[in-house]
Protein backbone atom coordinates (compact mmCIF):
# COMPACT_ATOMS: atom_id res chain seq x y z
CA UNK A 1 0.00 0.00 0.00
CA UNK A 2 1.12 3.48 -0.79
CA UNK A 3 2.35 5.13 2.46
CA UNK A 4 0.70 8.37 1.45
CA UNK A 5 -2.66 6.56 1.18
CA UNK A 6 -2.26 5.12 4.68
CA UNK A 7 -1.37 8.55 6.01
CA UNK A 8 -4.37 10.05 4.24
CA UNK A 9 -6.70 7.39 5.70
CA UNK A 10 -5.45 8.06 9.23
CA UNK A 11 -5.83 11.82 8.72
CA UNK A 12 -9.38 11.49 7.41
CA UNK A 13 -10.24 9.16 10.33
CA UNK A 14 -8.89 11.69 12.83
CA UNK A 15 -10.78 14.53 11.16
CA UNK A 16 -14.01 12.50 11.19
CA UNK A 17 -13.52 11.53 14.85
CA UNK A 18 -12.80 15.14 15.77
CA UNK A 19 -15.88 16.35 13.86
CA UNK A 20 -18.16 13.82 15.59
CA UNK A 21 -16.72 14.75 18.98
CA UNK A 22 -17.19 18.43 18.27
CA UNK A 23 -20.80 17.93 17.17
CA UNK A 24 -21.45 15.85 20.30
CA UNK A 25 -20.10 18.61 22.54
CA UNK A 26 -22.18 21.21 20.71
CA UNK A 27 -25.33 19.10 21.02
CA UNK A 28 -24.69 18.57 24.73
CA UNK A 29 -24.34 22.29 25.30
CA UNK A 30 -27.45 23.02 23.25
CA UNK A 31 -30.06 21.06 25.17
CA UNK A 32 -29.60 22.85 28.49
CA UNK A 33 -33.35 23.33 28.71
CA UNK A 34 -33.70 19.77 30.01
CA UNK A 35 -32.27 20.97 33.30
CA UNK A 36 -34.51 22.47 35.96
CA UNK A 37 -32.06 25.32 36.62
CA UNK A 38 -33.18 28.76 35.43
CA UNK A 39 -30.38 31.30 35.08
CA UNK A 40 -32.79 34.24 35.49
CA UNK A 41 -34.40 32.73 38.59
CA UNK A 42 -31.72 30.50 40.14
CA UNK A 43 -33.56 30.05 43.45
CA UNK A 44 -37.04 29.61 42.02
CA UNK A 45 -39.07 26.61 43.20
CA UNK A 46 -42.41 25.57 44.64
CA UNK A 47 -42.11 24.47 48.27
CA UNK A 48 -44.86 22.28 49.70
CA UNK A 49 -45.03 22.34 53.50
CA UNK A 50 -46.97 19.80 55.59
CA UNK A 51 -47.67 21.02 59.14
CA UNK A 52 -49.19 18.48 61.54
CA UNK A 53 -51.32 20.64 63.84
CA UNK A 54 -53.25 17.99 65.77
CA UNK A 55 -53.09 14.30 66.68
CA UNK A 56 -56.30 12.26 66.36
CA UNK A 57 -57.32 8.81 67.58
CA UNK A 58 -55.91 7.09 64.49
CA UNK A 59 -53.79 9.74 62.79
CA UNK A 60 -53.38 13.47 62.48
CA UNK A 61 -54.71 16.72 61.00
CA UNK A 62 -52.29 18.63 58.77
CA UNK A 63 -52.31 21.91 56.88
CA UNK A 64 -50.62 21.60 53.49
CA UNK A 65 -49.33 24.87 52.02
CA UNK A 66 -47.77 25.47 48.61
CA UNK A 67 -45.45 28.48 48.30
CA UNK A 68 -44.57 29.58 44.77
CA UNK A 69 -41.09 31.07 45.23
CA UNK A 70 -40.64 31.45 41.46
CA UNK A 71 -40.22 35.08 40.49
CA UNK A 72 -42.18 35.00 37.24
CA UNK A 73 -43.63 31.51 36.68
CA UNK A 74 -47.20 31.21 37.93
CA UNK A 75 -49.84 28.48 37.85
CA UNK A 76 -52.80 29.41 35.67
CA UNK A 77 -56.24 27.88 35.16
CA UNK A 78 -57.24 25.05 35.39
CA UNK A 79 -54.78 25.09 38.28
CA UNK A 80 -52.52 22.76 40.22
CA UNK A 81 -52.95 19.04 40.83
CA UNK A 82 -51.05 17.44 43.71
CA UNK A 83 -50.51 13.72 44.11
CA UNK A 84 -48.58 11.34 46.35
CA UNK A 85 -48.36 7.72 47.51
CA UNK A 86 -49.03 6.83 51.13
CA UNK A 87 -46.20 5.06 52.95
CA UNK A 88 -48.60 2.78 54.87
CA UNK A 89 -52.37 2.19 54.58
CA UNK A 90 -53.48 5.72 55.36
CA UNK A 91 -56.88 7.10 54.38
CA UNK A 92 -58.20 10.65 54.19
CA UNK A 93 -61.13 11.14 56.54
CA UNK A 94 -61.93 14.69 55.50
CA UNK A 95 -60.55 17.76 53.74
CA UNK A 96 -61.09 21.50 53.80
CA UNK A 97 -60.06 23.84 51.00
CA UNK A 98 -59.42 21.02 48.52
CA UNK A 99 -60.72 17.62 47.46
CA UNK A 100 -59.48 14.40 45.93
CA UNK A 101 -60.57 13.62 42.39
CA UNK A 102 -61.50 10.02 43.29
CA UNK A 103 -62.75 8.38 46.47
CA UNK A 104 -61.39 4.90 45.78
CA UNK A 105 -62.60 1.64 47.35
CA UNK A 106 -63.88 2.35 50.87
CA UNK A 107 -66.11 -0.75 51.07
CA UNK A 108 -64.40 -2.11 54.21
CA UNK A 109 -65.51 0.89 56.27
CA UNK A 110 -68.83 0.71 58.12
CA UNK A 111 -70.58 3.83 59.33
CA UNK A 112 -68.22 6.73 58.71
CA UNK A 113 -66.84 6.52 55.18
CA UNK A 114 -63.52 8.28 54.44
CA UNK A 115 -63.22 11.06 51.90
CA UNK A 116 -60.59 9.01 50.02
CA UNK A 117 -59.21 5.48 50.39
CA UNK A 118 -56.82 5.44 47.44
CA UNK A 119 -53.18 4.53 47.96
CA UNK A 120 -52.18 7.34 45.61
CA UNK A 121 -54.70 10.18 45.99
CA UNK A 122 -54.88 13.13 43.61
CA UNK A 123 -55.87 16.49 45.13
CA UNK A 124 -57.21 19.63 43.45
CA UNK A 125 -58.12 23.05 44.81
CA UNK A 126 -61.73 24.06 45.35
CA UNK A 127 -63.30 26.73 43.18
CA UNK A 128 -64.03 30.34 44.17
CA UNK A 129 -67.43 30.64 45.84
CA UNK A 130 -67.00 27.52 47.96
CA UNK A 131 -69.12 27.66 51.16
CA UNK A 132 -67.22 29.23 54.05
CA UNK A 133 -67.49 26.14 56.24
CA UNK A 134 -65.39 24.26 53.64
CA UNK A 135 -62.68 26.90 53.34
CA UNK A 136 -59.40 27.69 55.07
CA UNK A 137 -57.03 30.61 54.51
CA UNK A 138 -55.41 30.79 51.02
CA UNK A 139 -57.68 28.14 49.53
CA UNK A 140 -60.35 27.94 46.89
CA UNK A 141 -58.80 29.82 43.97
CA UNK A 142 -59.34 27.09 41.40
CA UNK A 143 -55.69 26.07 41.70
CA UNK A 144 -54.41 29.40 40.39
CA UNK A 145 -51.24 30.65 42.11
CA UNK A 146 -49.50 33.93 41.25
CA UNK A 147 -45.76 34.30 40.82
CA UNK A 148 -43.78 35.65 43.77
CA UNK A 149 -42.71 38.89 42.09
CA UNK A 150 -46.12 39.60 40.58
CA UNK A 151 -48.27 39.05 43.68
CA UNK A 152 -46.60 37.59 46.83
CA UNK A 153 -49.93 37.42 48.68
CA UNK A 154 -51.46 35.35 45.86
CA UNK A 155 -48.42 33.06 45.53
CA UNK A 156 -49.69 30.75 48.30
CA UNK A 157 -52.29 27.97 48.28
CA UNK A 158 -53.39 25.85 51.26
CA UNK A 159 -55.72 23.06 52.30
CA UNK A 160 -56.37 20.98 55.42
CA UNK A 161 -56.43 17.19 55.51
CA UNK A 162 -57.42 14.75 58.25
CA UNK A 163 -55.46 11.50 57.86
CA UNK A 164 -56.45 8.17 59.45
CA UNK A 165 -54.87 4.73 59.78
CA UNK A 166 -51.59 6.58 60.28
CA UNK A 167 -49.10 7.15 63.04
CA UNK A 168 -50.12 9.24 66.04
CA UNK A 169 -46.67 10.39 67.18
CA UNK A 170 -43.60 11.94 65.61
CA UNK A 171 -41.94 8.52 65.63
CA UNK A 172 -44.76 6.55 64.04
CA UNK A 173 -45.88 8.96 61.32
CA UNK A 174 -44.51 8.17 57.86
CA UNK A 175 -44.15 10.91 55.27
CA UNK A 176 -45.82 10.39 51.86
CA UNK A 177 -43.73 9.29 48.88
CA UNK A 178 -43.61 9.92 45.12
CA UNK A 179 -44.99 13.46 45.28
CA UNK A 180 -46.16 14.81 41.92
CA UNK A 181 -47.23 18.33 40.98
CA UNK A 182 -48.97 19.28 37.75
CA UNK A 183 -49.48 22.96 37.08
CA UNK A 184 -51.71 22.24 35.23
CA UNK A 185 -49.67 19.89 33.01
CA UNK A 186 -46.26 18.25 33.48
CA UNK A 187 -43.05 20.19 34.01
CA UNK A 188 -42.39 19.94 37.74
CA UNK A 189 -40.15 17.39 39.42
CA UNK A 190 -40.56 17.02 43.19
CA UNK A 191 -37.92 15.75 45.58
CA UNK A 192 -38.58 13.51 48.60
CA UNK A 193 -40.30 14.81 51.71
CA UNK A 194 -37.79 15.95 54.32
CA UNK A 195 -38.62 16.38 57.99
CA UNK A 196 -37.61 19.87 59.12
CA UNK A 197 -37.91 22.06 62.20
CA UNK A 198 -41.62 22.52 63.10
CA UNK A 199 -43.20 25.67 61.69
CA UNK A 200 -43.87 28.49 64.16
CA UNK A 201 -47.19 30.36 64.01
CA UNK A 202 -47.76 33.89 65.29
CA UNK A 203 -51.13 34.74 66.82
CA UNK A 204 -53.23 37.53 65.31
CA UNK A 205 -52.29 39.93 68.12
CA UNK A 206 -48.62 38.92 67.77
CA UNK A 207 -48.35 38.16 71.47
CA UNK A 208 -48.14 34.36 71.34
CA UNK A 209 -46.20 31.88 69.21
CA UNK A 210 -47.30 28.28 68.71
CA UNK A 211 -45.68 25.60 66.59
CA UNK A 212 -46.63 22.59 64.51
CA UNK A 213 -46.31 19.16 66.07
CA UNK A 214 -44.33 17.98 63.05
CA UNK A 215 -43.34 19.51 59.70
CA UNK A 216 -41.93 18.18 56.44
CA UNK A 217 -41.09 20.00 53.20
CA UNK A 218 -41.11 18.99 49.54
CA UNK A 219 -39.30 21.08 46.92
CA UNK A 220 -40.47 21.02 43.28
CA UNK A 221 -38.51 22.53 40.40
CA UNK A 222 -39.62 23.32 36.85
CA UNK A 223 -38.18 22.22 33.51
CA UNK A 224 -39.52 23.68 30.28
CA UNK A 225 -38.39 20.61 28.36
CA UNK A 226 -40.53 18.37 30.60
CA UNK A 227 -43.50 20.72 30.30
CA UNK A 228 -43.61 20.61 26.50
CA UNK A 229 -41.39 19.21 23.81
CA UNK A 230 -41.65 22.31 21.62
CA UNK A 231 -41.39 26.03 22.50
CA UNK A 232 -44.54 28.03 23.17
CA UNK A 233 -43.49 31.51 22.08
CA UNK A 234 -41.22 33.35 19.69
CA UNK A 235 -39.85 36.85 19.12
CA UNK A 236 -39.98 39.11 16.05
CA UNK A 237 -38.06 42.36 15.60
CA UNK A 238 -38.23 45.65 13.71
CA UNK A 239 -36.84 49.18 13.92
CA UNK A 240 -37.37 52.72 12.63
CA UNK A 241 -33.96 52.75 10.94
CA UNK A 242 -34.50 49.66 8.79
CA UNK A 243 -37.50 48.60 6.69
CA UNK A 244 -36.77 44.94 7.40
CA UNK A 245 -39.21 43.18 9.71
CA UNK A 246 -37.55 40.10 11.16
CA UNK A 247 -40.26 37.51 11.65
CA UNK A 248 -40.20 34.66 14.12
CA UNK A 249 -37.99 31.81 12.89
CA UNK A 250 -39.83 29.43 10.59
CA UNK A 251 -41.22 26.40 12.44
CA UNK A 252 -40.07 27.91 15.75
CA UNK A 253 -42.81 26.03 17.62
CA UNK A 254 -43.55 23.39 15.01
CA UNK A 255 -44.45 23.17 11.34
CA UNK A 256 -47.82 23.14 9.63
CA UNK A 257 -49.03 19.57 9.10
CA UNK A 258 -52.56 20.48 8.16
CA UNK A 259 -55.48 22.66 9.04
CA UNK A 260 -58.42 22.20 11.35
CA UNK A 261 -61.26 20.38 9.68
CA UNK A 262 -58.96 18.34 7.44
CA UNK A 263 -58.24 15.67 10.02
CA UNK A 264 -54.99 16.83 11.61
CA UNK A 265 -56.37 19.90 13.43
CA UNK A 266 -52.95 21.45 13.95
CA UNK A 267 -53.90 24.98 12.94
CA UNK A 268 -56.70 27.05 11.50
CA UNK A 269 -56.75 29.98 9.09
CA UNK A 270 -58.45 33.12 10.40
CA UNK A 271 -60.63 33.33 7.27
CA UNK A 272 -61.93 29.77 7.69
CA UNK A 273 -65.71 29.61 7.17
CA UNK A 274 -67.66 28.92 10.37
CA UNK A 275 -64.54 29.58 12.45
CA UNK A 276 -66.47 29.48 15.75
CA UNK A 277 -67.68 25.92 15.12
CA UNK A 278 -64.13 24.81 14.32
CA UNK A 279 -62.78 26.36 17.52
CA UNK A 280 -65.55 24.94 19.73
CA UNK A 281 -67.13 21.87 18.08
CA UNK A 282 -70.87 21.61 18.88
CA UNK A 283 -71.77 19.21 21.66
CA UNK A 284 -68.33 18.88 23.23
CA UNK A 285 -65.71 20.87 25.06
CA UNK A 286 -62.24 20.81 23.52
CA UNK A 287 -59.34 22.38 25.42
CA UNK A 288 -56.54 21.16 23.18
CA UNK A 289 -54.50 24.06 21.71
CA UNK A 290 -55.63 25.32 18.33
CA UNK A 291 -53.31 27.94 16.88
CA UNK A 292 -53.65 30.18 13.89
CA UNK A 293 -51.75 28.95 10.84
CA UNK A 294 -48.47 30.89 10.70
CA UNK A 295 -44.94 30.24 9.54
CA UNK A 296 -43.78 29.93 13.16
CA UNK A 297 -46.81 28.06 14.60
CA UNK A 298 -46.30 29.56 18.07
CA UNK A 299 -49.24 30.27 20.39
CA UNK A 300 -47.56 33.51 21.52
CA UNK A 301 -45.48 36.05 19.59
CA UNK A 302 -43.63 38.94 21.23
CA UNK A 303 -42.73 41.78 18.86
CA UNK A 304 -39.97 44.25 19.84
CA UNK A 305 -39.98 47.45 17.77
CA UNK A 306 -37.29 50.11 18.20
CA UNK A 307 -39.61 53.06 17.66
CA UNK A 308 -37.90 56.41 18.21
CA UNK A 309 -34.53 57.96 18.90
CA UNK A 310 -34.19 61.14 20.99
CA UNK A 311 -31.14 63.09 22.06
CA UNK A 312 -30.96 61.55 25.52
CA UNK A 313 -33.57 58.77 25.27
CA UNK A 314 -34.77 56.02 22.97
CA UNK A 315 -38.18 54.37 22.80
CA UNK A 316 -39.39 50.79 22.25
CA UNK A 317 -42.85 49.38 21.57
CA UNK A 318 -43.60 45.84 22.75
CA UNK A 319 -46.62 43.88 21.48
CA UNK A 320 -47.70 40.44 22.70
CA UNK A 321 -50.04 38.59 20.34
CA UNK A 322 -52.03 35.45 21.15
CA UNK A 323 -52.42 33.01 18.24
CA UNK A 324 -54.18 30.33 20.30
CA UNK A 325 -57.93 30.21 19.65
CA UNK A 326 -58.61 28.10 22.74
CA UNK A 327 -56.53 29.86 25.38
CA UNK A 328 -56.94 33.05 27.35
CA UNK A 329 -53.94 34.08 29.43
CA UNK A 330 -54.90 35.53 32.80
CA UNK A 331 -52.21 37.11 34.97
CA UNK A 332 -49.72 36.78 32.11
CA UNK A 333 -46.18 38.08 32.50
CA UNK A 334 -43.09 38.57 30.41
CA UNK A 335 -39.40 38.72 31.31
CA UNK A 336 -36.99 40.66 29.10
CA UNK A 337 -33.20 40.77 29.31
CA UNK A 338 -31.49 43.87 27.91
CA UNK A 339 -28.46 45.79 29.20
CA UNK A 340 -30.29 49.16 29.18
CA UNK A 341 -32.87 48.16 31.80
CA UNK A 342 -30.63 49.76 34.39
CA UNK A 343 -31.73 53.08 32.81
CA UNK A 344 -35.43 52.43 32.23
CA UNK A 345 -37.13 55.81 32.66
CA UNK A 346 -40.81 55.20 31.92
CA UNK A 347 -43.09 52.31 31.05
CA UNK A 348 -46.62 52.82 29.73
CA UNK A 349 -49.63 50.55 30.48
CA UNK A 350 -47.55 47.65 31.89
CA UNK A 351 -46.43 46.90 35.42
CA UNK A 352 -42.67 46.62 35.93
CA UNK A 353 -40.30 45.02 38.41
CA UNK A 354 -36.54 44.79 38.16
CA UNK A 355 -35.16 41.28 38.58
CA UNK A 356 -31.62 41.05 39.88
CA UNK A 357 -30.72 37.36 40.06
CA UNK A 358 -27.05 38.30 40.43
CA UNK A 359 -25.70 41.11 42.58
CA UNK A 360 -24.61 44.20 40.66
CA UNK A 361 -26.31 43.13 37.41
CA UNK A 362 -29.54 44.97 36.58
CA UNK A 363 -30.37 43.90 33.04
CA UNK A 364 -33.56 41.87 33.55
CA UNK A 365 -37.11 43.18 33.88
CA UNK A 366 -40.43 41.53 34.55
CA UNK A 367 -43.46 43.07 32.81
CA UNK A 368 -47.13 42.28 33.30
CA UNK A 369 -50.53 43.82 32.71
CA UNK A 370 -52.35 46.42 34.79
CA UNK A 371 -55.14 44.82 36.82
CA UNK A 372 -58.59 45.11 35.21
CA UNK A 373 -57.02 46.83 32.19
CA UNK A 374 -54.72 44.51 30.25
CA UNK A 375 -53.80 41.71 32.68
CA UNK A 376 -56.02 39.41 30.60
CA UNK A 377 -54.70 38.36 27.18
CA UNK A 378 -57.68 37.19 25.13
CA UNK A 379 -57.67 34.28 22.70
CA UNK A 380 -56.62 34.74 19.08
CA UNK A 381 -58.61 37.37 17.28
CA UNK A 382 -59.02 41.16 17.12
CA UNK A 383 -58.61 41.51 20.92
CA UNK A 384 -55.88 38.92 21.28
CA UNK A 385 -53.00 41.31 21.93
CA UNK A 386 -51.57 43.67 24.55
CA UNK A 387 -48.95 46.35 24.02
CA UNK A 388 -46.89 48.96 25.79
CA UNK A 389 -43.98 51.34 25.22
CA UNK A 390 -40.73 51.65 27.14
CA UNK A 391 -38.57 54.77 27.40
CA UNK A 392 -34.85 54.27 28.11
CA UNK A 393 -32.23 56.86 29.02
CA UNK A 394 -29.07 56.54 26.95
CA UNK A 395 -25.83 55.62 28.63
CA UNK A 396 -23.06 57.16 26.54
CA UNK A 397 -20.62 54.44 27.53
CA UNK A 398 -22.78 51.61 26.19
CA UNK A 399 -25.61 52.92 23.99
CA UNK A 400 -25.55 52.15 20.27
CA UNK A 401 -27.90 51.04 17.51
CA UNK A 402 -25.01 49.15 15.95
CA UNK A 403 -24.93 45.34 15.60
CA UNK A 404 -28.42 44.79 17.00
CA UNK A 405 -27.58 46.17 20.46
CA UNK A 406 -31.08 47.69 20.79
CA UNK A 407 -32.78 44.28 20.71
CA UNK A 408 -33.35 42.00 23.71
CA UNK A 409 -30.97 39.19 24.58
CA UNK A 410 -33.70 36.91 25.87
CA UNK A 411 -37.48 36.96 26.39
CA UNK A 412 -39.66 34.70 28.52
CA UNK A 413 -43.45 34.52 28.39
CA UNK A 414 -45.21 32.98 31.41
CA UNK A 415 -41.89 31.50 32.44
CA UNK A 416 -41.04 29.79 29.14
CA UNK A 417 -38.06 30.83 27.05
CA UNK A 418 -39.10 32.25 23.67
CA UNK A 419 -37.33 31.45 20.39
CA UNK A 420 -35.24 34.41 19.22
CA UNK A 421 -34.28 35.13 15.58
CA UNK A 422 -30.62 34.41 14.73
CA UNK A 423 -28.37 37.42 15.49
CA UNK A 424 -27.27 37.81 11.88
CA UNK A 425 -30.92 38.41 10.90
CA UNK A 426 -31.43 41.43 13.18
CA UNK A 427 -32.26 44.77 11.52
CA UNK A 428 -28.95 46.60 11.00
CA UNK A 429 -28.12 50.24 10.52
CA UNK A 430 -28.21 51.14 6.79
CA UNK A 431 -24.60 52.37 6.85
CA UNK A 432 -23.30 49.42 8.87
CA UNK A 433 -20.57 47.75 6.84
CA UNK A 434 -19.56 45.38 9.59
CA UNK A 435 -22.57 43.09 9.38
CA UNK A 436 -21.37 39.49 9.47
CA UNK A 437 -22.18 37.49 6.40
CA UNK A 438 -20.50 34.26 7.44
CA UNK A 439 -22.93 31.44 8.00
CA UNK A 440 -22.30 28.59 10.42
CA UNK A 441 -22.64 26.32 7.40
CA UNK A 442 -19.41 27.61 5.87
CA UNK A 443 -16.98 25.80 8.25
CA UNK A 444 -18.85 22.54 7.70
CA UNK A 445 -18.80 22.96 3.91
CA UNK A 446 -15.11 23.86 4.05
CA UNK A 447 -14.38 20.64 5.94
CA UNK A 448 -16.22 18.47 3.45
CA UNK A 449 -14.70 20.22 0.44
CA UNK A 450 -11.23 19.74 1.93
CA UNK A 451 -11.90 16.04 2.43
CA UNK A 452 -13.21 15.75 -1.12
CA UNK A 453 -10.09 17.50 -2.41
CA UNK A 454 -7.84 15.09 -0.49
CA UNK A 455 -9.70 12.05 -1.83
CA UNK A 456 -9.49 13.40 -5.37
CA UNK A 457 -5.70 13.42 -5.13
CA UNK A 458 -5.32 9.94 -3.68
Amino acid sequence: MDPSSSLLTVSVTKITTFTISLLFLISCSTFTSTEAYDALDPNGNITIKWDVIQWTADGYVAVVTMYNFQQYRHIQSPGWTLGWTWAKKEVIWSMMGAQTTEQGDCSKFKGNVPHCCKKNPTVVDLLPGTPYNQQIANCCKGGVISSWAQDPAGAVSSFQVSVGAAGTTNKTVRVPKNITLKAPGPGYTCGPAKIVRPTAFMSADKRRVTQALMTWNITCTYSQFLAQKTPTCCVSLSSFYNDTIVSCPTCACGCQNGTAGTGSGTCVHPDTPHLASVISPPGKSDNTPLVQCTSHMCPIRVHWHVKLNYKEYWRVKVTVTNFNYRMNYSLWNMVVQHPNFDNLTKIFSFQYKSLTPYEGLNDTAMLWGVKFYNDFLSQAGPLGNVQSELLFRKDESTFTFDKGWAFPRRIYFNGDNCVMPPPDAYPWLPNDSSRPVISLLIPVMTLFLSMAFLFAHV
Side-chain angles (χ1 to χ4, degrees):
M1 179 183 292
D2 187 355
S4 61
S5 299
S6 301
L7 181 61
L8 179 61
T9 302
V10 173
S11 300
V12 171
T13 302
K14 289 182 177 180
I15 291 174
T16 304
T17 304
F18 173 76
T19 303
I20 294 173
S21 301
L22 181 61
L23 291 174
F24 175 78
L25 290 172
I26 292 174
S27 65
C28 289
S29 64
T30 300
F31 295 100
T32 55
S33 58
T34 59
E35 302 172 3
Y37 177 77
D38 186 346
L40 298 185
D41 190 12
N43 300 315
N45 68 75
I46 291 181
T47 297
I48 306 171
K49 183 186 292 289
W50 288 57
D51 291 311
V52 176
I53 59 174
Q54 179 184 344
W55 300 117
T56 61
D58 67 338
Y60 59 88
V61 176
V63 174
V64 182
T65 307
M66 283 181 277
Y67 297 92
N68 184 11
F69 291 124
Q70 299 174 111
Q71 292 293 316
Y72 48 80
R73 186 173 290 110
H74 66 279
I75 298 176
Q76 61 187 11
S77 180
W80 56 262
T81 301
L82 183 65
W84 64 83
T85 301
W86 290 118
K88 298 193 290 186
K89 296 182 179 180
E90 294 92 336
V91 297
I92 298 176
W93 280 114
S94 62
M95 299 187 74
M96 291 182 64
Q99 63 183 2
T100 60
T101 57
E102 297 181 56
Q103 183 183 34
D105 183 7
C106 297
S107 58
K108 68 178 182 180
F109 290 89
K110 310 298 181 183
N112 291 334
V113 178
H115 176 82
C116 178
C117 301
K118 288 180 67 69
K119 179 74 172 178
N120 53 342
T122 300
V123 176
V124 295
D125 194 13
L126 295 181
L127 297 174
T130 296
Y132 290 113
N133 61 354
Q134 299 176 28
Q135 294 187 28
I136 69 166
N138 297 315
C139 84
C140 311
K141 297 180 285 188
V144 175
I145 304 179
S146 299
S147 63
W148 193 260
Q150 198 166 351
D151 181 12
V156 183
S157 183
S158 301
F159 63 87
Q160 182 176 298
V161 58
S162 178
V163 183
T168 56
T169 68
N170 291 37
K171 294 184 178 180
T172 56
V173 167
R174 296 292 179 266
V175 300
K177 303 180 294 182
N178 304 326
I179 290 87
T180 60
L181 175 63
K182 294 183 178 180
Y188 285 91
T189 302
C190 298
K194 295 182 179 180
I195 298 176
V196 297
R197 179 179 297 180
T199 302
F201 303 101
M202 180 75 70
S203 63
D205 59 7
K206 298 184 179 181
R207 300 176 64 187
R208 173 176 166 78
V209 176
T210 58
Q211 71 174 42
L213 304 175
M214 186 178 182
T215 299
W216 58 83
N217 285 352
I218 301 106
T219 301
C220 303
T221 54
Y222 179 83
S223 167
Q224 183 176 347
F225 183 78
L226 293 177
Q228 60 270 322
K229 301 303 181 183
T230 59
T232 58
C233 58
C234 63
V235 179
S236 58
L237 309 170
S238 62
S239 66
F240 70 89
Y241 53 78
N242 194 314
D243 293 335
T244 302
I245 298 177
V246 179
S247 303
C248 287
T250 302
C251 296
C253 302
C255 296
Q256 294 186 30
N257 296 322
T259 57
T262 62
S264 63
T266 50
C267 69
V268 60
H269 292 284
D271 55 354
T272 300
H274 311 294
L275 180 61
S277 62
V278 175
I279 297 171
S280 301
K284 67 176 182 178
S285 177
D286 194 350
N287 293 322
T288 57
L290 180 62
V291 300
Q292 186 180 124
C293 292
T294 59
S295 60
H296 53 78
M297 291 296 289
C298 292
I300 293 292
R301 182 191 67 194
V302 180
H303 184 75
W304 180 281
H305 175 65
V306 180
K307 185 176 180 180
L308 292 169
N309 181 30
Y310 306 105
K311 182 178 180 180
E312 297 181 356
Y313 301 91
W314 62 291
R315 194 179 186 108
V316 169
K317 182 177 181 179
V318 179
T319 305
V320 183
T321 305
N322 185 4
F323 290 97
N324 191 344
Y325 283 101
R326 291 180 180 153
M327 183 67 176
N328 296 314
Y329 294 89
S330 58
L331 301 177
W332 64 269
N333 67 63
M334 178 173 58
V335 174
V336 184
Q337 190 176 33
H338 190 283
N340 213 165
F341 269 114
D342 58 351
N343 279 323
L344 179 64
T345 303
K346 180 71 174 178
I347 183 168
F348 305 87
S349 71
F350 279 0
Q351 301 277 18
Y352 159 79
K353 179 180 176 63
S354 175
L355 299 180
T356 53
Y358 307 101
E359 187 176 354
L361 186 62
N362 182 17
D363 67 347
T364 307
M366 178 176 169
L367 312 175
W368 67 95
V370 178
K371 194 170 185 178
F372 304 125
Y373 176 61
N374 58 0
D375 62 335
F376 186 84
L377 178 56
S378 298
Q379 64 189 28
L383 302 178
N385 68 86
V386 291
Q387 56 189 7
S388 181
E389 295 191 4
L390 293 75
L391 187 66
F392 296 95
R393 177 184 289 274
K394 296 179 180 178
D395 184 343
E396 294 183 0
S397 62
T398 59
F399 174 79
T400 178
F401 283 131
D402 193 17
K403 298 181 174 65
W405 183 90
F407 298 104
R409 309 303 185 259
R410 189 183 307 182
I411 289 182
Y412 284 54
F413 181 83
N414 277 0
D416 286 338
N417 198 359
C418 299
V419 179
M420 298 286 297
D424 60 355
Y426 284 16
W428 292 74
L429 288 171
N431 60 349
D432 186 3
S433 60
S434 60
R435 177 171 181 173
V437 294
I438 300 177
S439 169
L440 292 176
L441 187 62
I442 291 180
V444 179
M445 293 298 298
T446 303
L447 174 63
F448 282 101
L449 289 173
S450 300
M451 293 173 62
F453 177 82
L454 290 173
F455 277 116
H457 289 76
V458 174

